Amino acid sequence: MTAALRFDPIRLPPECEQLRKEVRAFLAEEIAAGTFDPHKPNREDTDAPEFSRRVGAKGWLGMTWPKKYGGQERSFLERYVVTEEMRVANAPTRRFFVADRQSGPVLLKYAPEHIKMEILPRICRGEICFAIGMSEPNSGSDLFAAKTRATKTDGGYLINGTKIWTSSAHIADYMIAIFRTSPPTKENRRHGLTQFLVRMKQPGIKVNPIGQITGQYEFNEVVFTDHFIPDDHVLGEVDGAWKQATSELAYERSGPERFLETYYVLTELVRAVGNNPDTRSAEGIGRLVAQLHTMRRMSVSVAGMLQAGKEPVVEASIVKDIGTVWEQQLPHRVRDLAAFVEETATNRETLERQLDFAIKTAPKLTIQGGTTEVLRGIIARGLGLR
Amino acid sequence: MAESDNIVVETAEKIFADLADPQTINNDKKGAWKTPLWQALSDAGLPLSWVPDDLGGSGASLADGFALLNAAGRFAVAVPLAETMLAGWLLAQAKIASPDGEMTVVPASPKDRITLDADGSLSGRARGVPFAKAAKHFAVLAHGAGGVSIALVDAAKARIEAGLNVGYDHSDTVTLDKVQPITIKPAPKGFDQTTLMLMGGVARSLQIAGALESMLDISVRYSNERVAFEKKISKFQAVQHNLARLAGESAAALAAATSAADAVANARAFDDEVYLEAASAKIRCAEAAEKGGGIAHQVHGAIGFTMEHILHRYSLRALAWRDDFGSESHWAVELGKLVAGRGADELWPLVASR
């Protein structure tokens, strides 16, 4: 019997609509004040610490977390609305997004109480930035091939090895990383990895930026040389990180950021085409909007499952697979459709600048956060094929 | 398969399992299964689900009826259940009681027009009308000088040129030449041919989604049985990835169709947001039928290309259903015009409207 795939038509409750208005108003003020240009996705977000603090002050970071850690105890669906409005506006979210989506929930689940009390409120205030240390040179998507060692020593561990493709490590205050604490066993090659909280600006950590084909710097290589991590910075079970890492991924895989990364080119195409499109443009836009709408319905549905306390690993993987393939193709489809837009002195300028960046961004979208191939393997497992 | 949690769907699924098993039907070349199936569906009041009690129906909710259509898609049901439901629903819009027996709706394409003449007769031609040949009555939407009307018409009064769609179901050309309707009443305010096409499109989307659920199910099962190159084909990564994509297409179709059904069931009017839902469902489900059906056949190899195998019952019907009540290219053009007309800055608010 095939696993039943259900994507119930979850509707956002009224409090989400009120919140959406507040977020739009806030973003409009920020745009008016010159914090960021919504038509320029190709900014480096390293320069927006003040924006992060203002988002934190609004109560929009750690929204779903307990109040005692600075959270608001609001729903996943409310968080969803904030995420999609920020994304659609091209707001500079990189500094806080990873902590809000992923690192905070990991700390909530696995960190000792005093660390939660120390760090979570600071995430909620938008003061600190997180990176995720998963991939290593020659391991890539194969998490379980990680070799960077955490060797037990007095009162903690010594770290030696290298992480790579680590987004934001150059600006991060903390990293949540997996390191090898034991060799894999014959029965379980996933055994032997442990999750740690790393304080970045400490001895024994060197961050080397890696340029991307977009012309930006976002990735890094992070080299650990006898870096000391105290015992209370172990997150969860020693040697058991693989269980933790996989449940973390449902959060990472189904959100609006997984199909909206190149969305801006669609809006700009509609603007360039104008309000009386020819049949070809109309059809192209109609199809893209139908596809976008469908993915959003699927993504909202998964947010509803998370809100209900489920772990929709297969459903989330489906959303990420379809979503990232779509956002990867989008700039190319928009380019096709834009070819016949009548050119005036200024109407194509923004679109062309955006297309240039989106086309360069596109190749990474099906790689970050789990490659298409890995996701399809997870879906196949859910179907009972492996 | 999705578990049914309502009595209408439970009843229907039991009837489908007993009397519409795809394998049995596929082996029965004479069509002897049709009469008992229709009888059982009628006895359970399912074809007139969307007709209120006082108009001769069983008064199920729109939501229950939509779930029933999704279940019918999972069994690739080849009797005019969806068509009779739509016809009963259309007639009920004008408070016209539904007669017993098979019905269908005319027109079934956004481009066809039936006109109401001053003498009260109906004229016009409608192509691709599903199951017209099997219907005893038509529910007709007509345009007259005074606006849009809804009529009940005796099918015997029409000229019907029989045709088959790519799924081997009747898809006929209906010509009305000064036909006097049995009953005709004005459509409610705001109801027009687009409303009918969107409703029909949502019905077809649910059927396509159901067919894809079954295609995924039988493809996964087959891949776990079939051995090639000394192992089950489900163990080949390339096959696994194809099935993962099929699961994605099936999930997308189901999500789009059930979301549209929910939107229509709770709509106060067919506004832009409902239009987005219904048109998107038809577009996305049609795309899924093409991509998903292709993968299901690929997984099945040559055996899925035979008449003996049941795969074609789902794959060809899903492809055929793309054409009814406006193809995906029709709705894409219309949706694109709507989006462009509202302007670039209104696109996101429309998409994020619920």
Side-chain angles (χ1 to χ4, degrees):
Chain A
M1 195 52 136
T2 308
L5 293 172
R6 291 192 63 160
F7 285 85
D8 290 334
I10 302 288
R11 300 299 175 198
L12 298 174
E15 63 267 23
C16 285
E17 294 318 310
Q18 180 53 38
L19 177 60
R20 191 186 296 285
K21 281 185 203 152
E22 290 168 28
V23 179
R24 283 182 184 167
F26 167 78
L27 291 171
E29 277 172 32
E30 292 290 323
I31 292 165
T35 307
F36 65 97
D37 179 351
H39 302 295
K40 265 194 188 160
N42 51 335
R43 109 189 51 73
E44 304 217 5
D45 289 349
T46 50
D47 57 357
E50 291 309 318
F51 178 77
S52 296
R53 286 191 172 84
R54 288 195 292 274
V55 174
K58 283 281 179 186
W60 295 337
L61 297 178
M63 282 176 81
T64 61
W65 308 348
K67 286 188 174 156
K68 71 166 168 166
Y69 302 125
Q72 305 287 325
E73 300 181 10
R74 297 180 83 163
S75 72
F76 276 101
L77 295 172
E78 288 171 286
R79 180 182 173 275
Y80 190 94
V81 165
V82 174
T83 306
E84 63 180 3
E85 291 298 326
M86 295 266 178
R87 180 65 49 169
V88 164
N90 277 323
T93 60
R94 192 166 301 143
R95 188 172 270 273
F96 60 74
F97 193 66
V98 164
D100 178 61
R101 175 179 70 184
Q102 228 162 320
S103 311
V106 170
L107 294 177
L108 265 176
K109 223 165 165 183
Y110 302 111
E113 186 62 24
H114 72 275
I115 288 187
K116 287 188 205 178
M117 290 305 289
E118 177 202 337
I119 295 180
L120 293 173
R122 296 178 61 208
I123 295 179
C124 293
R125 290 199 296 268
E127 292 171 4
I128 47 178
C129 175
F130 269 74
I132 296 173
M134 295 268 194
S135 294
E136 294 185 10
N138 306 317
S139 81
S141 285
D142 184 4
L143 203 58
F144 309 125
K147 287 192 177 72
T148 297
R149 275 173 300 118
T151 312
K152 191 75 191 84
T153 183
D154 234 15
Y157 292 80
L158 283 179
I159 313 299
N160 283 286
T162 303
K163 291 284 173 189
I164 200 166
W165 317 130
T166 315
S167 296
S168 303
H170 59 304
I171 53 167
D173 303 282
Y174 296 91
M175 175 193 283
I176 289 180
I178 55 157
F179 299 123
R180 186 155 290 289
T181 35
S182 317
T185 59
K186 255 216 174 98
E187 303 73 47
N188 187 2
R189 68 181 290 264
R190 303 162 175 210
H191 175 83
L193 295 169
T194 303
Q195 208 165 17
F196 288 87
L197 173 68
V198 181
R199 293 178 192 259
M200 289 297 287
K201 283 142 196 171
Q202 300 282 322
I205 302 178
K206 189 163 187 296
V207 178
N208 303 315
I210 306 168
Q212 295 179 185
I213 62 172
T214 54
Q216 288 178 298
Y217 287 94
E218 186 190 349
F219 292 160
N220 299 275
E221 177 194 62
V222 184
V223 183
F224 296 92
T225 312
D226 283 336
H227 171 69
F228 178 78
I229 298 182
D231 280 329
D232 64 358
H233 284 46
V234 171
L235 301 174
E237 195 186 322
V238 172
D239 290 341
W242 57 277
K243 283 182 258 173
Q244 296 162 213
T246 45
S247 71
E248 193 182 321
L249 295 175
Y251 297 101
E252 192 191 345
R253 285 183 172 155
S254 61
E257 68 275 19
R258 294 309 185 188
F259 55 91
L260 289 177
E261 184 136 351
T262 56
Y263 168 78
Y264 49 87
V265 294
L266 181 56
T267 311
E268 218 47 48
L269 173 69
V270 175
R271 201 183 313 283
V273 162
N275 58 13
N276 191 20
D278 62 77
T279 304
R280 185 180 184 277
S281 304
E283 186 190 354
I285 290 169
R287 278 188 190 259
L288 291 170
V289 171
Q291 292 158 357
L292 168 66
H293 164 77
T294 301
M295 279 178 309
R296 183 173 175 278
R297 297 307 318 156
M298 297 172 86
S299 175
V300 170
S301 189
V302 174
M305 295 178 210
L306 291 173
Q307 178 61 26
K310 297 175 189 164
E311 281 189 20
V313 174
V314 175
E315 290 85 348
S317 299
I318 287 176
V319 172
K320 181 172 188 279
D321 179 18
I322 296 184
T324 55
V325 168
W326 185 82
E327 66 183 7
Q328 182 169 75
Q329 289 172 345
L330 179 63
H332 301 285
R333 296 292 82 76
V334 166
R335 174 182 164 273
D336 266 353
L337 293 165
F340 297 94
V341 171
E342 207 70 52
E343 192 164 356
T344 67
T346 55
N347 71 332
R348 293 182 61 101
E349 200 183 297
T350 307
L351 178 61
E352 278 167 14
R353 182 160 41 83
Q354 291 189 352
L355 272 177
D356 178 84
F357 184 68
I359 284 167
K360 288 171 181 162
T361 307
K364 77 165 179 172
L365 300 176
T366 49
I367 300 166
Q368 60 191 11
T371 64
T372 303
E373 292 78 5
V374 167
L375 294 169
R376 288 183 184 166
I378 293 169
I379 299 164
R381 191 184 303 282
L383 294 172
L385 302 173
R386 312 172 53 189
Chain B
M1 298 239 174
E3 285 164 34
S4 60
D5 43 16
N6 80 58
I7 188 78
V8 175
V9 177
E10 271 176 37
T11 306
E13 283 187 324
K14 184 160 187 333
I15 294 171
F16 296 149
D18 290 348
L19 299 170
D21 169 57
Q23 190 66 63
T24 312
I25 286 176
N26 203 44
N27 298 341
D28 174 6
K29 305 297 177 213
K30 295 201 177 111
W33 53 273
K34 279 186 189 169
T35 309
L37 173 60
W38 186 259
Q39 191 60 49
L41 292 171
S42 300
D43 291 348
L46 297 175
L48 296 182
S49 292
W50 281 332
V51 177
D53 302 339
D54 60 342
L55 295 174
S58 46
S61 66
L62 277 176
D64 284 355
F66 282 132
L68 163 59
L69 289 173
N70 183 229
R74 289 199 292 272
F75 284 87
V77 169
V79 291
L81 174 63
E83 293 73 12
T84 305
M85 286 172 65
L86 284 168
W89 170 82
L90 177 59
L91 294 170
Q93 300 302 307
K95 307 268 187 286
I96 299 172
S98 281
D100 286 338
E102 294 90 337
M103 293 195 282
T104 192
V105 286
V106 177
S109 155
K111 300 285 183 203
D112 291 335
R113 268 281 191 280
I114 304 295
T115 55
L116 168 63
D117 293 333
D119 65 356
S121 70
L122 299 170
S123 296
R125 191 154 87 126
R127 276 162 280 237
V129 178
F131 290 101
K133 200 78 183 155
K136 294 185 175 62
H137 294 94
F138 298 150
V140 177
L141 185 130
H143 293 82
V148 183
S149 297
I150 294 167
L152 176 66
V153 169
D154 181 351
K157 298 267 182 73
R159 195 166 74 245
I160 300 168
E161 296 158 61
L164 291 176
N165 65 22
V166 297
Y168 297 101
D169 291 328
H170 269 292
S171 175
D172 311 311
T173 300
V174 172
T175 306
L176 302 178
D177 188 8
K178 297 228 163 267
V179 170
Q180 287 293 333
I182 298 168
T183 316
I184 186 161
K185 290 185 182 174
K189 198 165 169 287
F191 192 100
D192 60 12
Q193 191 162 329
T194 302
T195 318
L196 173 60
M197 293 302 134
L198 289 171
M199 185 72 176
V202 173
R204 284 296 189 253
S205 299
L206 288 158
Q207 290 174 284
I208 291 172
L212 279 163
E213 287 176 77
S214 291
M215 282 191 261
L216 174 62
D217 203 37
I218 64 175
S219 300
V220 166
R221 215 180 315 143
Y222 181 75
S223 76
N224 277 324
E225 288 163 3
R226 168 74 180 164
V227 172
F229 308 105
E230 293 162 357
K231 54 182 180 178
K232 287 183 192 172
I233 63 168
S234 63
K235 300 299 164 201
F236 290 97
Q237 198 175 49
V239 175
Q240 292 176 354
H241 286 198
N242 265 344
L243 287 168
R245 285 174 54 225
L246 172 55
E249 291 303 307
S250 171
L254 191 63
T258 52
S259 182
D262 178 73
V264 169
N266 295 301
R268 282 184 298 274
F270 274 76
D271 55 16
D272 282 2
E273 285 83 18
V274 176
Y275 194 105
L276 168 72
E277 292 265 10
S280 293
K282 190 74 197 300
I283 295 164
R284 190 62 185 86
C285 287
E287 291 176 349
E290 180 189 324
K291 284 191 210 162
I295 296 167
H297 276 280
Q298 186 71 23
V299 171
H300 277 83
I303 199 164
F305 194 63
T306 64
M307 275 295 191
E308 279 68 31
H309 200 279
I310 58 168
L311 178 59
H312 71 89
R313 298 198 67 81
Y314 303 100
S315 64
L316 294 183
R317 240 167 228 118
L319 292 176
W321 287 331
R322 296 179 304 172
D323 293 330
D324 302 332
F325 309 107
S327 68
E328 67 272 30
S329 36
H330 166 80
W331 287 117
V333 170
E334 295 302 312
L335 181 58
K337 284 183 188 163
L338 181 131
V339 165
R342 287 171 59 110
D345 294 326
E346 287 303 308
L347 172 55
W348 178 250
L350 176 67
V351 171
S353 59
R354 65 182 88 222

